[in-house]
Amino acid sequence: MPADSIRSVTLSTVTLPLGRAVSDAKVFTGRQKPMTEVVLLFAEIVTEQDQYGLGFTYSKRAGGPGQYAHAAEVAENLIGEDPNDIARLVTELEWAGASVGRSGLATQALAAFDVALYDLKAKRAGLPLAKLLGAHRDSVRAYNTSGGFLNASLEEVKERAGRSLEEGIGGIKIKVGLPDGAEDLRRVQGVREHVGDGVPLMVDANQQWDRATALRMGRRLEEFGLVWIEEPLDAYDVEGHARLTRALDTPVATGEMLASVAEHERLIEGAACDVIQPDAPRVGGITRFLRLMALADQRGLDLAPHFAMEIHLHLAACYPRETWVEHFDWLDPLFNERLETKDGRMLVPDRPGLGVTLSDRARAWTTASVSFGVR
């Protein structure tokens, strides 16, 4: 028998309303509707020794109910298991639901368990997750995305950019990919002039350019000294990304939409980006993310994880070379704690585990919950 074992698992799905509907290029090309909410799946794991771990995954626009349903089907497999054996347990959960595959929605659902097990393990050790994994630094360069969406006017984007810099965030990312490329260029030029040449600036086309447009726009954007051009092409166009990476001086970033290690391996092996942007909840959790970090480091890629800064701050701090973490304030109402930014960087909290606890508002926004092993 293990020294400790999992006594209960509780799953909760939470619908987080956004204060304002947001639109990126996919809305302006007619492929999606404006985003009004984020649906999260939380996993809370408690052991016989009353150790507690919290993990989460998320979905945007669709998939939340499916994640919850899949997680609920396999959660009972964790009861009685040793919580330290994270890799083994995640593999068992994958095989428990293998008939629906090991990528996409199924993988994303399992990420909540994986993250909760790591949170628990770090808390048991009395360490922040980054310290448990082996950090290279105590802070990570941070850039803001939530102020740069296309539904906002240029003046509003500039105002939000200035405010972010005043709050200690180091870089600014804005959305591009409009049907009118001239308007994209006007907005980028306006923000660059507003923040100055010394501020790191990124753009994100959200997969809405074809190869010819991406090359043409990429060349026009060279003059703005961008840190990277993000998702210029369809996420699965490895060959197109590789060609663009070779053709442009500006680094190319992509990877956030890929939902497995295997998909990222094709991207890495194809030399299809300069900056890789995996998302731990989307690839199945921290276990899988660590494998990706090793592959990316071996190829000398830069790393900038997507969204979910509450998880990714810890992981980015463990990458051998300097990284970026994406600052979104959307999830702030869900947690009692806040991540601190200073001098352009986000500070790794000294609290054990992820360093966050669920707020009363998160509990109030819960639309469904189920527990296993409670007695």
Side-chain angles (χ1 to χ4, degrees):
M1 290 292 292
D4 197 5
S5 61
I6 296 173
R7 182 175 69 213
S8 68
V9 178
T10 298
L11 299 173
S12 303
T13 182
V14 174
T15 300
L16 168 69
L18 299 182
R20 176 183 182 185
V22 297
S23 300
D24 59 26
K26 297 187 293 294
V27 174
F28 288 86
T29 57
R31 288 175 168 168
Q32 290 183 345
K33 295 179 179 179
M35 183 160 46
T36 60
E37 62 188 29
V38 179
V39 178
L40 296 102
L41 170 65
F42 287 98
E44 298 174 85
I45 295 176
V46 180
T47 73
E48 294 289 356
Q49 295 181 4
D50 291 323
Q51 300 288 329
Y52 170 84
L54 172 68
F56 70 91
T57 188
Y58 71 94
S59 61
K60 297 177 180 178
R61 293 187 175 89
Q67 289 182 357
Y68 177 73
H70 184 74
E73 284 192 291
V74 301
E76 201 161 11
N77 289 279
L78 292 175
I79 302 302
E81 294 285 357
D82 186 338
N84 293 298
D85 299 341
I86 300 175
R88 175 180 66 82
L89 295 179
V90 170
T91 300
E92 288 185 4
L93 292 175
E94 286 178 344
W95 281 105
S99 63
V100 293
R102 284 179 279 174
S103 66
L105 184 148
T107 296
Q108 294 164 24
L110 301 187
F113 299 119
D114 183 275
V115 174
L117 289 167
Y118 269 101
D119 181 55
L120 189 156
K121 195 167 193 173
K123 286 174 178 173
R124 172 174 282 158
L127 295 171
L129 178 60
K131 296 294 185 181
L132 177 79
L133 297 175
H136 284 269
R137 60 196 67 86
D138 294 327
S139 65
V140 177
R141 292 179 298 181
Y143 70 94
N144 178 263
T145 294
S146 50
F149 279 82
L150 290 170
N151 56 282
S153 69
L154 175 57
E155 288 306 311
E156 186 178 353
V157 171
K158 289 160 60 175
E159 189 276 330
R160 288 290 302 276
R163 193 190 321 162
S164 293
L165 296 174
E166 290 173 359
E167 292 171 353
I169 297 171
I172 302 297
K173 187 173 80 179
I174 68 169
K175 300 291 186 174
V176 293
L178 289 166
D180 181 2
E183 178 62 14
D184 279 336
L185 294 171
R186 185 184 77 87
R187 288 168 71 92
V188 175
Q189 181 175 1
V191 174
R192 171 52 84 199
E193 291 174 351
H194 181 70
V195 301
D197 292 337
V199 172
L201 180 63
M202 305 85 160
V203 300
D204 182 359
N206 287 109
Q207 307 178 78
Q208 296 309 293
W209 290 331
D210 58 28
R211 291 183 180 184
T213 303
L215 181 59
R216 183 169 58 251
M217 289 296 294
R219 287 173 173 165
R220 294 290 303 274
L221 290 165
E222 297 275 26
E223 66 177 285
F224 298 111
L226 302 176
V227 178
W228 68 64
I229 298 172
E230 184 171 332
E231 286 199 313
L233 300 168
D234 184 276
Y236 294 95
D237 185 3
V238 173
E239 181 181 352
H241 276 99
R243 289 182 182 180
L244 194 64
T245 298
R246 291 192 297 268
L248 297 179
D249 291 334
T250 304
V252 171
T254 192
E256 69 177 65
M257 295 304 298
L258 304 182
S260 70
V261 174
E263 291 168 5
H264 279 85
E265 282 181 313
R266 289 193 287 274
L267 193 69
I268 294 169
E269 291 170 359
C273 65
D274 302 290
V275 184
I276 196 162
Q277 298 181 298
D279 182 314
R282 284 182 174 165
V283 301
I286 293 168
T287 300
R288 301 296 179 247
F289 193 99
L290 294 176
R291 183 185 300 177
L292 282 174
M293 284 209 311
L295 294 172
D297 179 42
Q298 188 176 28
R299 290 299 183 100
L301 296 178
D302 287 334
L303 178 79
H306 167 256
F307 200 59
M309 62 187 185
E310 295 80 5
I311 299 171
H312 289 135
L313 171 59
H314 293 273
L315 300 177
C318 297
Y319 198 59
R321 59 181 57 82
E322 273 280 9
T323 56
W324 286 92
V325 68
E326 187 170 27
H327 183 279
F328 267 92
D329 55 11
W330 292 358
L331 304 189
D332 281 357
L334 299 173
F335 305 110
N336 294 311
E337 300 79 11
R338 297 289 175 269
L339 296 175
E340 183 180 354
T341 54
K342 182 180 180 181
D343 299 330
R345 305 179 71 86
M346 189 176 294
L347 311 184
V348 176
D350 58 9
R351 301 179 294 273
L354 293 176
V356 295
T357 55
L358 282 178
S359 68
D360 291 339
R361 294 180 75 184
R363 303 288 185 188
W365 284 327
T366 298
T367 58
S369 185
V370 62
S371 296
F372 303 87
V374 176
R375 58 181 186 271

